[in-house]
Amino acid sequence: MNLTRALFTASSYFSRGLKRTALGLALGACFVGAVQAASNAAGSIFGTAESGTVIIENTETGLTREIQVEDGRFNAPSLPIGTYNVTLMQDGEAVATREGVFVRVGSGSSVSFATGDDATELAAITVTGAGVAPIDVSTTDTRVVFTAEQLRKIPVGRSIVDVALLTPGVVEGDSRYPGTASFGGSAASENAFYINGYAVTNPLTNLGSTSLPFNAIAQYQAITGGYGAEFGRATGGVVNIVTKSGTNDFEAGALLIFEPESLRAEQENRYVPMNGGQYDGLLYQNLALREEDSMTYGLYASGPIVQDKAFFYVGMEVRNTDISGVGSMTAAPIGNAYTLDVEVPRWIVKLDWNITNNHLLDFTAISDVTKDTERYYEMCYLEGPQACTDPSNAFVRGNDVNGGYYYEDGGETYIAKYTGYLTNNLTLSAVYGTQKQEHIAIPYQYDPSVVYVIDDRQNVPATAGHGLYLNLPFPDAYDETEGYRFDVEYRLNDHNLRFGYDVMNLESRAGTQISGPGYAWIYEDSATLNPGDVIPATGGAIAPDPVQWVSRYIYANGGTFAVEQTALYLEDHWQVTPNWLVRLGIRNEGFQNFNADDVVYVEQDNQWAPRLGATWDVYGDSTFKVFAQLGRYHLAMPNNVARRGAAGSLYTQEYFAFESIDPNTGIPQGLTPIGDGPFSQNNEYGQAPNPITVAASDLESHYQDELVIGFEKVLTDELNFGARWVYRDLQSAIDDMCDGRGAYDWALDNGYSVADATAFKDALDGCRLFNPGSDNTFQLEDASGVVQTIPLSAEDLGYPELKRTYSGIDIFLEHPFDGTFYYKVDYTWSRSYGNAEGQLQSDIGQGDVSQTIDWDHPEIGEYGNGYLPNDRRHYIKAFGYWQLNPEWRLSGTAIAHSGRPENCLGYYNGPTAGLPDTPNYGPYYHYCNGEPSPRGSLGRLPWTYRLDVGAAYMPAAVEGLTLSVDVFNILDIQEVQNVQEIRELGSSGNTYQYAGMPISFSDPRQVRFTIRYDFD
């Protein structure tokens, strides 16, 4: 059955059901045993009891809630994460207490008290941990939650993505998108990241997110599918982090981490493949010379400001890394070696104020900045085109700096949240956040007062060039976000209703401009012109006497762009029976993308996303659940799309005769205009393209449908087992197309003149946003400049149907921590198939989000169906730890996965090859040696294996001290992660010299030492 049809059939059924119950449309997250829900930065406790009042008390802050038992059930939503004692009161007396109930982010903890005849036997019973459900039967999504304790005990990298890679269905992104991950077959730009309920995804590209001091993470949640209506704007996965907070106990600590170069294994070198070229077998890049030393130090403190009322947590971490290495042999000698000094200072302040037990307020401030000083040096190779004249100097770095940059990226994030338990059944939460990150790029020895000078004169001695850098990034580049949301939760009999509204505004300034004052001088002359002649391609400038001139060259491309996102959702967690819970809901999203003139160029309203889920608590005791989820998920375009497709470009030259040249600056003296002012050959005067022509007028957003079916089962007191199947189908994508042939033919068939048809073709040849493989309606200017509506069917455009499907089966076995052991093993079989990765193009490492080469013209898609770059057929992940005794702990993480599909890309040799209108993009087609080469036809890269081990010593003589060592990739197995998939050089079909050469390897063995001291 078509997934889309199933989705809306289900949506229709639940809509009719809700009308019968007079509840209207709803959407959400479901649970069994009690009607409950949890916000994305909190959790909940729910359960059953015969009658009475349930008192829920946070053991660390004293926060207390009293919940009446109604119809045999109780529910406490939106609880701060942490540990609670749950007490049942009857007739003013405590009849039973469950201690140590742990609340996880976005999850529900079930606590059940005896009912019926057994209730009379509960007097004064206190049981630690008993009665707490081992399985969360309140959710239908697939998630993994790591606590701060687990992150301290297992050997894992100290980054958000390193932790995500321990999640089933998540694979590492292409190395050309560093620090990213793919969730469930989606592109690495299709994920959403949250800290304390506020979205911190990169607003310019959607690649990555803001980070924070790793030690400040209280709980880390990764959701790989089936997430509820409160989450949106993602077709990959969701990473949801809740930070630590202060408690009634004062705590402080410090840590020091060393990752020495001396214990780092040599990295595999890159050699030129044996492809019959002049460099066969030569050393291409000596990665074994790469050195990296790293040290991290951190401090934290937390505690009460006012006992039981107000608390603080402050923390900071600074990571300093020194890196040196060598570039490739084909690079020019200048800059062939490099050093990087990277400093990453991060801090966090978290304040919590329990105004009363019913009104909570918290505030978070985070700073995340990376400072990178890069220096380039001369170095020669013993082999290759830069061979050393003196072999003893091979790979010896020169002392003189020949270039470099200072980069500073990042800024601060502020988040405020209010939670109000207004009545026993009504809860309100609200979040407001803002963030600004600056992007500074200062070239080495750059003097902004120097004007760049180019002298292209042939008939007179040229003046010396001035200036080191012609084009530079905008000096005031930044990313800024502001957003707010509120969620209302109301319990009505067997229904837990949630309503939410959120707004997220993203703004980015990015672009390139001429260095110095924003212009350059270009000297030119001519031996074929006479004084008084018109200089070609200058807009009418007249050649002076003598025939030499100078132009003031101005170039700037980019601007300030914005995306406004809104969402409204309604959900119902409907406890149909004591064992069945149904989650019904709808989400409506709207996206507006603005160009540099603050004009909307893409708008997508009323994007309805139904969600339908159910869980079955098979035995009614939370030891065996079966669940399913069907939903639709939308994704907005990031700001980077406007930078390329909707930004204005200023590209002008103003022409002058000159009398002399300043010998010190190269600046012309005695200027006389010889033209009519600034001239742009391509009419680029800084104006943005007509916003109604940038994209198809009926453009649909990027969206995906998803089906998840699974179960979780308590096998024994020490083992939990589960499995799930997930199917994802990308229904619509946004990309750019750069092919006007279909518009030209359509125009002639519909009575337009050849001139108009040519104008339409030229417009689309210049690239427009569209929905690949679908009908699209464009607004294009005809030959007279009048905008015409041009409806083009998928057949007119000639593109293949868009296809990206992901099917995966995840199986896990988990041993909960029993005081001695904890481990979890996951196996994933998956298949990611189609002709589009999504917003990125990992085959060639293209980083233009939603503007890949895949859909520039139809021929690129020929034979493009196959296994996609993020396909890993088999993936095994295991991690755990063993507490041998109070002083010693051992831990380990193991990963093994099959390799990435391998392609053979070359020049086009299909049915339209050689025709005058067929675009020739170079070696980016699924053709090799003149023959079709379907996607993935070269098989797969090797399997990757990695074993990380750790040991920790906590001496009894020094309470709070932990000495630990972690060895990553202890076996030093370095496998190829990706290769050069372009195989041909030139349309003649000659083999590309570097075809199949590795681009990156898995990381070599590295050792990390940690000294940590915690005291309270």
Side-chain angles (χ1 to χ4, degrees):
M1 183 179 185
N2 181 276
L3 182 59
T4 305
R5 192 183 325 133
L7 179 66
F8 284 101
T9 299
S11 175
S12 176
Y13 278 122
F14 88 67
S15 177
R16 291 197 295 269
L18 288 178
K19 287 178 181 177
R20 288 196 296 269
T21 60
L23 293 176
L25 278 176
L27 152 222
C30 55
F31 66 93
V32 175
V35 179
Q36 67 85 40
S39 78
N40 63 357
S44 66
I45 294 176
F46 64 94
T48 59
E50 180 71 17
S51 61
T53 300
V54 175
I55 298 177
I56 299 172
E57 181 180 9
N58 188 298
T59 61
E60 299 168 321
T61 66
L63 175 69
T64 303
R65 291 205 61 197
E66 295 186 9
I67 305 296
Q68 294 297 125
V69 177
E70 298 180 6
D71 299 324
R73 292 191 290 271
F74 65 91
N75 174 43
S78 298
L79 292 174
I81 63 171
T83 304
Y84 291 80
N85 292 337
V86 183
T87 300
L88 176 63
M89 305 289 293
Q90 291 179 345
D91 298 326
E93 295 184 1
V95 297
T97 298
R98 310 297 187 191
E99 293 185 344
V101 179
F102 191 65
V103 171
R104 295 175 181 264
V105 56
S107 302
S109 297
S110 175
V111 178
S112 296
F113 297 97
T115 60
D117 295 337
D118 294 333
T120 60
E121 303 174 3
L122 287 176
I125 294 177
T126 299
V127 184
T128 301
V132 180
I135 292 176
D136 179 9
V137 294
S138 67
T139 59
T140 59
D141 57 38
T142 301
R143 66 182 66 190
V144 173
V145 175
F146 293 94
T147 65
E149 181 183 18
Q150 289 175 313
L151 294 177
R152 282 183 58 181
K153 292 181 177 179
I154 60 177
V156 63
R158 295 174 63 83
S159 79
I160 290 175
V161 171
D162 285 331
V163 182
L165 291 175
L166 296 180
T167 304
V170 179
V171 305
E172 190 171 5
D174 189 282
S175 63
R176 290 162 288 190
Y177 317 124
T180 63
S182 164
F183 285 65
S186 300
S189 62
E190 299 178 27
N191 307 316
F193 297 84
Y194 294 83
I195 295 178
N196 287 348
Y198 185 71
V200 293
T201 314
N202 184 311
L204 181 63
T205 64
N206 268 12
L207 286 165
S209 71
T210 299
S211 191
L212 73 167
F214 194 78
N215 190 61
I217 298 175
Q219 291 189 19
Y220 178 110
Q221 178 191 57
I223 309 177
T224 57
Y227 33 92
E230 65 185 345
F231 289 118
R233 303 166 191 149
T235 48
V238 172
V239 172
N240 186 26
I241 293 172
V242 176
T243 65
K244 292 180 180 177
S245 296
T247 69
N248 278 325
D249 295 323
F250 178 80
E251 298 177 353
L255 62 84
L256 187 63
I257 300 173
F258 300 93
E259 296 172 80
E261 164 60 30
S262 59
L263 296 178
R264 180 185 176 92
E266 286 189 354
Q267 197 162 344
E268 293 285 342
N269 288 326
R270 298 170 68 193
Y271 291 89
V272 179
M274 304 298 289
N275 288 322
Q278 62 175 316
Y279 307 142
D280 273 9
L282 295 182
L283 180 64
Y284 179 78
Q285 187 175 15
N286 193 335
L287 292 175
L289 292 181
R290 188 179 189 275
E291 296 183 355
E292 179 176 337
D293 268 301
S294 179
M295 176 183 293
T296 302
Y297 56 91
L299 299 168
Y300 80 91
S302 67
I305 300 173
V306 178
Q307 198 80 4
D308 288 338
K309 286 292 183 181
F311 313 91
F312 75 94
Y313 177 92
V314 295
M316 60 81 70
E317 290 180 2
V318 179
R319 178 183 171 92
N320 291 312
T321 306
D322 296 324
I323 302 172
S324 63
V326 180
S328 65
M329 76 169 189
T330 56
I334 295 177
N336 207 30
Y338 62 86
T339 61
L340 308 178
D341 296 322
V342 184
E343 181 183 5
V344 185
R346 293 175 176 146
W347 56 258
I348 182 173
V349 175
K350 177 78 186 306
L351 303 175
D352 293 86
W353 181 20
N354 298 344
I355 305 170
T356 71
N357 281 326
N358 293 323
H359 299 280
L360 315 180
L361 187 64
D362 64 71
F363 171 78
T364 308
I366 297 170
S367 177
D368 176 22
V369 177
T370 297
K371 302 176 182 180
D372 179 10
T373 301
E374 300 185 1
R375 293 292 180 260
Y376 309 138
Y377 305 82
E378 182 176 348
M379 177 179 282
C380 63
Y381 273 83
L382 180 61
E383 301 176 304
Q386 315 297 342
C388 302
T389 56
D390 180 357
S392 65
N393 289 329
F395 302 115
V396 176
R397 191 178 75 204
N399 295 321
D400 296 332
V401 178
N402 292 292
Y405 262 90
Y406 171 75
Y407 296 102
E408 186 170 322
D409 294 280
E412 297 175 358
T413 304
Y414 300 97
I415 308 165
K417 180 184 178 183
Y418 165 77
T419 303
Y421 309 118
L422 305 183
T423 70
N424 197 40
N425 294 320
L426 180 63
T427 301
L428 168 68
S429 65
V431 175
Y432 171 80
T434 183
Q435 175 185 75
K436 185 166 185 179
Q437 298 183 321
E438 296 181 342
H439 306 293
I440 299 171
I442 303 175
Y444 176 70
Q445 291 185 337
Y446 171 60
D447 183 349
S449 67
V450 174
V451 181
Y452 197 90
V453 176
I454 303 171
D455 196 337
D456 287 336
R457 293 178 296 171
Q458 303 297 316
N459 301 317
V460 297
T463 186
H466 293 269
L468 296 175
Y469 308 91
L470 177 60
N471 296 316
L472 294 176
F474 281 2
D476 55 349
Y478 66 85
D479 295 321
E480 191 170 43
T481 70
E482 182 181 32
Y484 60 89
R485 66 176 294 155
F486 66 86
D487 301 87
V488 178
E489 186 169 346
Y490 181 65
R491 178 180 175 184
L492 179 63
N493 299 324
D494 292 330
H495 299 270
N496 211 59
L497 304 177
R498 295 192 68 202
F499 166 82
Y501 178 74
D502 79 88
V503 173
M504 196 71 189
N505 297 322
L506 318 174
E507 183 175 283
S508 296
R509 178 162 177 78
T512 304
Q513 66 183 35
I514 299 292
S515 62
Y519 60 84
W521 292 107
I522 303 176
Y523 294 96
E524 298 175 277
D525 63 3
S526 173
T528 61
L529 294 175
N530 296 312
D533 290 347
V534 175
I535 304 173
T538 62
I542 305 301
D545 186 9
V547 184
Q548 57 178 323
W549 62 90
V550 68
S551 65
R552 180 159 43 205
Y553 167 53
I554 297 176
Y555 172 77
N557 177 259
T560 303
F561 318 105
V563 179
E564 294 184 359
Q565 305 173 349
T566 59
L568 179 72
Y569 76 89
L570 184 65
E571 64 185 2
D572 179 16
H573 301 226
W574 179 16
Q575 193 70 52
V576 181
T577 72
N579 289 37
W580 277 93
L581 182 137
V582 176
R583 156 170 125 175
L584 310 167
I586 198 75
R587 181 180 177 96
N588 181 275
E589 292 184 299
F591 305 139
Q592 286 185 312
N593 289 71
F594 294 80
N595 66 11
D597 294 333
D598 200 29
V599 177
V600 174
Y601 70 93
V602 169
E603 183 172 16
Q604 295 152 336
D605 291 328
N606 294 321
Q607 299 172 101
W608 294 98
R611 314 274 172 92
L612 172 63
T615 62
W616 175 29
D617 185 0
V618 179
Y619 301 137
D621 59 359
S622 299
T623 60
F624 184 19
K625 85 166 179 179
V626 178
F627 63 93
Q629 167 76 19
L630 184 65
R632 170 164 290 181
Y633 304 88
H634 293 89
L635 180 66
M637 294 188 301
N639 273 318
N640 190 61
V641 176
R643 177 182 175 180
R644 285 201 58 206
S649 180
L650 178 62
Y651 188 2
T652 66
Q653 287 180 271
E654 188 174 4
Y655 298 89
F656 303 88
F658 61 95
E659 296 177 357
S660 63
I661 299 175
D662 187 311
N664 296 316
T665 65
I667 295 175
Q669 307 295 307
L671 296 177
T672 302
I674 59 174
D676 293 332
F679 170 73
S680 176
Q681 190 169 358
N682 296 312
N683 197 35
E684 296 177 68
Y685 291 100
Q687 75 281 9
N690 187 336
I692 68 172
T693 68
V694 170
S697 57
D698 51 357
L699 192 71
E700 291 188 333
S701 69
H702 178 117
Y703 69 89
Q704 177 174 268
D705 293 337
E706 180 185 79
L707 175 63
V708 180
I709 301 173
F711 74 89
E712 294 182 29
K713 177 76 169 64
V714 176
L715 293 181
T716 69
D717 290 342
E718 297 182 342
L719 286 177
N720 295 336
F721 175 70
R724 69 146 187 173
W725 172 68
V726 57
Y727 179 77
R728 291 177 157 188
D729 190 354
L730 183 63
Q731 298 291 329
S732 174
I734 297 175
D735 214 303
D736 65 340
M737 57 89 71
C738 309
D739 194 318
R741 290 174 291 177
Y744 182 87
D745 294 340
W746 177 92
L748 294 182
D749 291 343
N750 285 273
Y752 286 89
S753 67
V754 172
D756 287 340
T758 302
F760 299 151
K761 179 181 184 302
D762 290 344
L764 289 186
D765 282 346
C767 302
R768 296 292 187 270
L769 296 170
F770 83 132
N771 293 129
S774 301
D775 300 343
N776 288 265
T777 300
F778 296 95
Q779 304 293 320
L780 304 176
E781 294 180 354
D782 61 20
S784 62
V786 178
V787 175
Q788 303 285 346
T789 299
I790 312 297
L792 300 177
S793 67
E795 183 179 0
D796 292 331
L797 292 167
Y799 288 88
E801 181 181 356
L802 171 75
K803 186 171 186 179
R804 186 187 79 188
T805 61
Y806 172 87
S807 183
I809 298 174
D810 299 320
I811 302 172
F812 79 87
L813 184 69
E814 182 175 28
H815 184 291
F817 186 58
D818 58 3
T820 302
F821 288 106
Y822 171 83
Y823 65 81
K824 186 174 184 179
V825 180
D826 288 288
Y827 167 72
T828 301
W829 176 95
S830 64
R831 178 180 184 270
S832 183
Y833 186 88
N835 58 10
E837 179 185 355
Q839 288 189 331
L840 298 175
Q841 222 284 25
S842 293
D843 298 335
I844 59 174
Q846 186 178 8
D848 298 315
V849 181
S850 287
Q851 293 172 307
T852 71
I853 199 174
D854 278 340
W855 302 97
D856 282 3
H857 62 92
E859 285 83 354
I860 293 178
E862 291 180 17
Y863 300 100
N865 274 325
Y867 298 120
L868 295 168
N870 295 314
D871 180 88
R872 305 290 186 274
R873 192 55 44 85
H874 306 281
Y875 216 126
I876 301 170
K877 304 179 181 183
F879 52 89
Y881 48 90
W882 176 21
Q883 193 71 48
L884 282 75
N885 55 52
E887 291 190 304
W888 285 97
R889 181 177 67 243
L890 301 178
S891 59
T893 300
I895 290 177
H897 63 80
S898 53
R900 167 177 169 167
E902 193 173 357
N903 298 313
C904 185
L905 301 178
Y907 284 79
Y908 183 65
N909 194 34
T912 65
L915 296 181
D917 286 339
T918 300
N920 185 352
Y921 265 40
Y924 302 111
Y925 300 82
H926 292 282
Y927 284 84
C928 264
N929 302 315
E931 299 295 328
S933 177
R935 180 182 290 277
S937 58
L938 292 190
R940 291 180 179 269
L941 295 177
W943 273 66
T944 293
Y945 303 92
R946 174 170 169 150
L947 175 63
D948 305 332
V949 297
Y953 173 54
M954 295 144 287
V958 186
E959 185 178 355
L961 177 64
T962 302
L963 307 175
S964 62
V965 57
D966 298 300
V967 184
F968 298 95
N969 192 9
I970 190 172
L971 302 178
D972 195 29
I973 300 175
Q974 300 180 46
E975 292 293 354
V976 177
Q977 294 177 316
N978 50 356
V979 300
Q980 176 57 260
E981 297 189 337
I982 294 174
R983 310 281 175 164
E984 292 185 333
L985 178 64
S987 56
S988 61
N990 295 331
T991 301
Y992 182 40
Q993 173 72 75
Y994 306 108
M997 185 175 67
I999 294 173
S1000 66
F1001 299 89
S1002 49
D1003 291 337
R1005 181 178 59 245
Q1006 179 64 47
V1007 181
R1008 181 178 74 190
F1009 297 98
T1010 303
I1011 303 173
R1012 181 182 180 118
Y1013 183 61
D1014 303 276
F1015 64 89
D1016 52 24

